Amino acid sequence: MDLKNKTQATMFEFSGLTDDKELAPFIFMLILLVYVMTIIGNVGMIALVCVFSSLHTPMYYFLSSLSLVDLLYSSVTTPNMLSHFLSPKKSISFLGCAVQLYFFCALGCTEAILLSTMSYDRYVAICHPLHYTLIMTKKKCFGLVLYSSSISFLQSIVQTTCVFSLPFCGSNLIVHFCCDIPPLISLSCSHTIHCDMVSGVLIAIFGTYTLTTIFLSYIFIFLLIFRMTSTKSRQKAFSTCSSHIICVSTYITAVFFTYLRPYSGSFEIQDKVTSVFYTAVTPMLNPLIYSLRNQEVKRLLVQAIRKSF
């Protein structure tokens, strides 16, 4: 049949996380708990940074920006994912899917670039402590956050336009719980090599930029740490970097596992588990990791809780 005679899809259906009715309530409650903790943790982190003047530093400015991105990033997919457990019909409109994919790609890229920016901030703080306030000015911090979000939202326009310019005239079942690039491209009834190339090139560019910035920053940091004669100074430097390293490792590992390999239906379960991890679990973990491993944040958090009661 000629492609012109086929009907373009106006709605998409999701396969969801599971079809097991016995397992569904448990997964629903688990994801709901994760989402509530994500909201509390990230809103709490933003509030702490805003309220306490001692946290008005570049490090916490980037951390509060990361918390805002995590909050929005999780909210793009998680509420919709939870609604699938409560409704027999797991559907989304063509336009709704495009909007979800746009913000999903934009915020995901913003998070990656912000994490690389935070590694540069740690490099300046540890390797150039005397010039830290001169280098990391308020204007520069604001510019770095603005750059991270602007370039991410621009590249998302390219990816979203490319995917939704494809004809969807066959099955409208997305084998996923959200609108993501690999499962959407697999539904198209035309050649998708140009979209695969666009997506691959953009992921390679931003992935290379992110990893290069992080690796170079930590190479210089570790070289300096190993030259330190004081054990206390080494421990303090490692403690300063450890939270960021954990956050970077969990997020980038999950993202690269999903996007830097050919999409295949045989990896459906792994894809969903990995996607849940970096869309729902990682945004919850970031504020927890920073708050639990940072004495200043813990002290101010206890202080804020005592005042509220």
Side-chain angles (χ1 to χ4, degrees):
M1 183 183 291
D2 190 81
L3 289 177
K4 294 180 180 179
N5 296 327
K6 294 185 178 181
T7 304
Q8 173 77 1
T10 57
M11 295 281 291
F12 291 105
E13 299 283 340
F14 294 110
S15 64
L17 278 175
T18 181
D19 293 322
D20 191 331
K21 293 183 179 180
E22 294 182 357
L23 188 61
F26 171 75
I27 297 176
F28 172 81
M29 292 303 299
L30 182 62
I31 293 174
L32 179 61
L33 177 63
V34 168
Y35 186 54
V36 170
M37 290 180 67
T38 299
I39 295 173
I40 294 172
N42 287 291
V43 170
M45 182 62 72
I46 295 169
L48 278 178
V49 174
C50 291
V51 170
F52 292 100
S53 59
S54 61
L55 298 183
H56 292 176
T57 63
M59 174 183 171
Y60 293 105
Y61 175 74
F62 290 127
L63 182 54
S64 61
S65 300
L66 181 67
S67 291
L68 178 60
V69 172
D70 279 332
L71 184 62
L72 297 174
Y73 186 47
S74 179
S75 298
V76 168
T77 56
T78 308
N80 191 45
M81 190 198 320
L82 290 169
S83 70
H84 295 165
F85 293 96
L86 305 175
S87 173
K89 198 171 184 181
K90 308 166 186 174
S91 60
I92 190 171
S93 67
F94 187 87
L95 178 60
C97 191
V99 171
Q100 186 184 70
L101 178 66
Y102 172 70
F103 284 104
F104 183 71
C105 292
L107 292 167
C109 185
T110 303
E111 173 141 353
I113 298 177
L114 263 179
L115 287 170
S116 68
T117 302
M118 291 170 74
S119 70
Y120 169 72
D121 172 67
R122 292 299 83 208
Y123 156 73
V124 176
I126 294 172
C127 297
H128 304 282
L130 299 178
H131 300 94
Y132 181 63
T133 55
L134 296 175
I135 297 173
M136 302 303 293
T137 61
K138 288 183 179 180
K139 186 177 179 180
K140 185 172 184 178
C141 292
F142 176 77
L144 287 170
V145 172
L146 183 63
Y147 160 77
S148 301
S149 56
S150 299
I151 198 169
S152 300
F153 277 81
L154 285 173
Q155 68 83 31
S156 186
I157 292 175
V158 177
Q159 294 214 62
T160 305
T161 303
C162 185
V163 171
F164 283 91
S165 64
L166 295 170
F168 297 97
C169 41
S171 171
N172 69 338
L173 179 65
I174 300 174
V175 187
H176 212 350
F177 58 81
C178 67
C179 294
D180 200 0
I181 293 173
L184 277 170
I185 287 180
S186 69
L187 291 182
S188 177
C189 51
S190 70
H191 295 293
T192 62
I193 186 168
H194 64 288
C195 267
D196 290 326
M197 289 180 63
V198 168
S199 180
V201 168
L202 286 173
I203 290 172
I205 290 172
F206 287 102
T208 302
Y209 168 80
T210 300
L211 290 178
T212 301
T213 304
I214 292 169
F215 283 146
L216 285 177
S217 297
Y218 279 108
I219 285 172
F220 288 118
I221 288 171
F222 289 143
L223 286 174
L224 179 66
I225 289 174
F226 292 141
R227 289 201 300 268
M228 290 179 178
T229 55
S230 170
T231 305
K232 189 176 181 180
S233 299
R234 285 186 179 183
Q235 289 176 344
K236 185 178 179 180
F238 274 121
S239 178
T240 303
C241 300
S242 60
S243 299
H244 181 256
I245 292 172
I246 294 170
C247 291
V248 167
S249 302
T250 53
Y251 181 77
I252 290 182
T253 301
V255 170
F256 273 61
F257 176 82
T258 302
Y259 294 106
L260 291 188
R261 62 173 177 76
Y263 178 75
S264 171
S266 61
F267 288 93
E268 176 189 335
I269 295 175
Q270 291 93 321
D271 283 331
K272 290 180 180 181
V273 171
T274 308
S275 296
V276 168
F277 190 81
Y278 73 78
T279 58
V281 178
T282 302
M284 176 198 70
L285 289 177
N286 286 345
L288 286 177
I289 291 169
Y290 272 97
S291 60
L292 292 175
R293 297 184 64 85
N294 189 300
Q295 296 298 325
E296 178 70 3
V297 173
K298 281 196 291 187
R299 183 182 66 81
L300 294 175
L301 182 61
V302 171
Q303 184 179 329
I305 292 172
R306 284 176 177 173
K307 282 185 177 181
S308 65
F309 283 99

